Amino acid sequence: MRILVVGAGAVGGYFGARLVQAGRDVDFLVRPARADLLNEHGLQVRDLDGSVETVPVTAVTADTLAPDYDLVVLAVKSYGFDAALKDIAPAVGPGTAVLPFLNGMRHMDALIDRFGADRVYGGVAMVQTRLGENGEIVEVGRMAQLIYGPVSDTPVVPLDAVHAALDTGTFSATAAEDAVQELWDKWVFLASMGACNCLMRGPIGRINSAEGGREFSRAVFEEAAAVAAASGYPVRPKVRERADRMLGDTTAGTTTSLYWDLTHGNPVEADHIIGDLVARGRALGVPTPMFALADLHLRVYEAGRA
């Protein structure tokens, strides 16, 4: 199976490198300057212990693409999605599956509109990595898991073929029966944690340790869960149990990449993770005052960056 990994950042770079190490036929779609660097020097992955692996990779640019890939793995930040959607179009043929690993649901609507449901998979990535100053992938934890599944009953590439390509033993790979539910479950949790971090400017343990903090974090989660339920994807009991445990922790230093970017002056995935949840709640008549405040906070931040 020929695989095109779009993006060589914290998510695409990490999982793409592991696929290459497992012998899969992988190209990385990146910008020209990044392609030159990767083709010449390889992709570096720094382990938790500080050791560095250099993985030889093949990088390509959008102008060279042809529709001869079986699987396109989309792993970019949400603010790069529109450009990536345009870039990948020449690579998507009649027998190509597109598997995105982005947060939220907005990208799923756009991919289905562009390519049709039979060519779109839903994907959830959970990995503790960051992109280093020199473009290397830096592990900051041991979690590395992909969950994926088709959104159509008649996918052009069967789930067992996609699973065979991704299940390399170098990370956890799970074929899901209901990928859309998996996406909603992650979105509710991630958006809740991110909104808490960003509004209170601190890790979840510090928030919950303050008077009224636990009531605040619980209220934020319930807003997101209400939007999911109204959309037809109520949070499953196991996810609610995990969220109650993690969002209620009084000692954990847990934050999200949304908070990391906010506190490091980077662009933030505000629209996809927070703003779209507010918009869907509004359309469904579900009030989301906490998320609306978080959305405003992040919009003001982005205006300041601009």
Side-chain angles (χ1 to χ4, degrees), residues 2 49 55 64 73 76 92-93 100 102 104 180 199 217 220 266 279 283 299:
R2 292 202 69 204
D49 62 9
V55 183
T64 66
V73 176
V76 296
V92 181
L102 284 81
V180 177
L199 282 176
S217 60
V220 170
N266 300 331
R299 289 181 188 278

Side-chain angles (χ1 to χ4, degrees), residues 14-247:
Y14 177 82
F15 288 109
R18 297 305 186 215
L19 290 172
V20 171
Q21 289 175 319
R24 301 301 192 261
D25 183 3
V26 177
D27 291 343
F28 286 87
L29 174 61
V30 292
R31 299 303 177 199
R34 178 77 160 144
D36 290 341
L37 287 172
L38 291 178
N39 286 327
E40 184 175 354
H41 300 292
L43 182 60
Q44 292 189 330
V45 181
R46 183 185 302 162
D47 202 342
L48 277 174
D49 62 9
S51 61
V52 176
E53 299 176 89
T54 298
V55 183
V57 298
T58 301
V60 298
T61 53
D63 59 307
T64 66
L65 294 178
D68 51 4
Y69 291 97
D70 303 293
L71 180 65
V72 174
V73 176
L74 194 56
V76 296
K77 290 284 193 178
S78 62
Y79 44 76
F81 172 74
D82 290 342
L85 181 61
K86 180 180 179 181
D87 286 345
I88 67 172
V92 181
T96 305
V98 181
L99 170 54
F101 289 110
L102 284 81
N103 296 310
M105 289 297 300
R106 180 179 290 177
H107 65 285
M108 294 297 294
D109 297 337
L111 287 169
I112 291 170
D113 285 346
R114 177 65 180 82
F115 299 117
D118 60 340
R119 285 191 283 179
V120 176
Y121 270 60
V124 170
M126 289 175 282
V127 63
Q128 294 174 299
T129 54
R130 291 199 179 106
L131 190 64
E133 293 181 358
N134 298 313
E136 74 275 21
I137 311 305
V138 181
E139 287 188 320
V140 296
R142 289 299 184 193
M143 179 184 292
Q145 181 179 14
L146 296 181
I147 303 171
Y148 42 83
V151 300
S152 166
D153 292 334
T154 57
V156 295
V157 181
L159 178 56
D160 58 355
V162 172
H163 183 59
L166 299 181
D167 187 19
T168 64
T170 55
F171 52 82
S172 174
T174 303
E177 295 182 1
D178 191 345
V180 177
Q181 181 68 57
E182 296 282 353
L183 280 163
W184 271 99
D185 285 347
K186 184 189 178 184
W187 188 17
V188 167
F189 176 78
L190 179 69
S192 298
M193 183 69 79
C196 288
N197 293 150
C198 293
L199 282 176
M200 295 296 114
R201 289 298 180 110
I204 196 66
R206 191 187 307 162
I207 295 168
N208 288 324
S209 295
E211 184 176 353
R214 182 63 187 111
E215 290 76 15
F216 163 76
S217 60
R218 184 179 290 115
V220 170
F221 176 81
E222 292 301 339
E223 283 187 9
V227 176
S231 301
Y233 295 93
V235 175
R236 291 174 293 182
K238 66 176 183 179
V239 177
R240 178 174 286 276
E241 181 180 322
R242 174 174 175 264
D244 189 62
R245 182 176 68 255
M246 295 186 70
L247 286 167

